[in-house]
Amino acid sequence: MFTGFETFDVATESSTVHGRTRGSGPAVLLLHGIPETHLMWHRVAPRLAERFSVVVTDLRGSGDSGRPPSTADHGPYSMREIAAEQVKVMAALGHRRFAVIGHDRGSRCAYRMALDHPAVVTRLGVLDIIPTGEVFRGEMGGGFWVWSFLAAPEPVPEQLISGAPDTLVDHMLDSWSSTPGVFSPELRDAYRAPFHDPRAVHAICEEYRAAASRDREHDETDRGYRKIECPTLVLWGETGGIAGDGADPLRIWRNWWENVTGESVPCGHFLPEEAPDRTTELLLRFLTA
């Protein structure tokens, strides 16, 4: 999938971050969502690497990245902490300034990075999300069971997932996508594998517990006071997570940054896999503008 990419594992203060890199030119960091790993970018990253220094990573707790211990306030799995770790990894790879593109949970890491590290992030792309604080204000409606299920008190979701991890992953992939057969058996196996590891499941649940507490608090603190300073692109699937109930993602994002552009893509939630050509075209246009 990633021919010509170099694999790396960068040690951080409390863990390690796994990823791949290839290319030269301005740096671009690609971040994945749930239930995937960095492999979700396999149809986009090679084409971006023809013009950019592309880095794809597994977020803390996901894929082959580390799963450090959490705390009572879930702080180690807040997007503030995860974003800061990714910034340090990019610096270790020689990239002091870079564009960041995220999907789903990766987008939440990406926009927090842009808010907390404005001198580092040159451009921001967010795929199929609205800010976490807006989610808890009801902007996404009531159909997002994953937010409450995974954030439930330990060990409830951990033990339930341990009974049928493949069922959970397959349900996410199938119900959130609109392109039958887009996930090969090999990809499904790769996405399922971390959910068979109790440490990974706990880390993922901690991330959602942090979303309901620390991330929500950080967004509410920043609302109206801090703005995203860099050029921002918002893309969403026509039948994806934020397209229903008459939602207007650009209206929501303009609460955070007025100079934001974006559009829908004809697919479900997983833009880089369901619509790789259109997604790559829009990302290249944005990154080279």
Side-chain angles (χ1 to χ4, degrees):
M1 291 184 182
F2 288 88
T3 301
F5 278 72
E6 176 185 352
T7 300
F8 64 80
D9 291 277
V10 173
T12 65
E13 293 176 1
S14 60
S15 189
T16 59
V17 170
H18 176 79
R20 305 176 195 245
T21 185
R22 198 190 91 183
S24 59
V28 179
L29 173 62
L30 303 177
L31 300 174
H32 68 88
I34 190 172
E36 300 158 310
T37 69
H38 76 275
L39 296 178
M40 71 166 295
W41 295 103
H42 70 279
R43 294 177 173 171
V44 174
R47 293 170 61 183
L48 294 184
E50 296 172 3
R51 304 182 66 173
F52 298 94
S53 295
V54 172
V55 179
V56 291
T57 63
D58 289 333
L59 295 173
R60 171 179 289 188
S62 298
D64 289 324
S65 286
R67 321 191 200 288
S70 191
T71 57
D73 69 353
H74 319 297
Y77 286 90
S78 71
M79 285 304 171
R80 174 160 285 166
E81 293 295 325
I82 296 173
E85 181 175 61
Q86 292 286 329
V87 169
K88 292 176 182 177
V89 169
M90 290 296 282
L93 295 173
H95 306 305
R96 298 289 177 178
R97 284 171 55 79
F98 53 88
V100 57
I101 311 293
H103 172 262
D104 190 88
R105 306 306 294 175
S107 291
R108 302 188 186 286
C109 179
Y111 85 75
R112 175 47 56 187
M113 190 184 299
L115 285 167
D116 288 356
H117 306 272
V120 171
V121 178
T122 59
R123 288 179 179 267
L124 168 67
V126 292
L127 276 57
D128 217 53
I129 72 153
I130 59 173
T132 300
E134 308 289 353
V135 173
F136 285 100
R137 287 190 169 207
E139 287 283 5
M140 289 174 66
F144 287 79
W145 57 270
V146 68
W147 287 82
S148 56
F149 172 60
L150 293 179
E154 183 184 359
V156 174
E158 285 93 338
Q159 291 191 3
L160 291 174
I161 292 169
S162 71
D166 292 351
T167 298
L168 176 68
V169 173
D170 287 344
H171 178 72
M172 291 179 180
L173 295 176
D174 295 334
S175 66
W176 296 348
S177 64
S178 62
T179 311
V182 70
F183 303 107
S184 69
E186 292 79 12
L187 271 176
R188 282 185 184 269
D189 287 345
Y191 296 154
R192 290 166 172 168
F195 286 80
H196 287 259
D197 180 348
R199 298 174 307 142
V201 172
H202 177 63
I204 291 167
C205 291
E206 282 296 287
E207 189 181 304
Y208 275 85
R209 291 170 185 137
S213 54
R214 303 297 292 162
D215 296 348
R216 181 182 186 181
E217 175 187 327
H218 295 154
D219 275 13
E220 291 301 329
T221 299
D222 288 342
R223 181 191 303 278
Y225 294 97
R226 297 176 71 191
K227 296 285 188 178
I228 295 171
E229 299 178 5
C230 62
T232 301
L233 174 70
V234 178
L235 300 177
W236 63 95
E238 288 182 357
T239 59
I242 62 174
D245 300 323
D248 181 355
L250 291 182
R251 174 190 63 80
I252 296 169
W253 275 104
R254 285 180 179 132
N255 293 327
W256 296 85
W257 178 227
E258 294 181 358
N259 187 21
V260 60
T261 59
E263 62 183 79
S264 65
V265 176
C267 64
H269 177 57
F270 302 100
L271 283 72
E273 291 172 291
E274 294 187 70
D277 292 342
R278 182 58 176 161
T279 300
T280 302
E281 176 188 354
L282 292 170
L283 291 179
L284 282 171
R285 183 188 303 170
F286 171 66
L287 292 169
T288 57

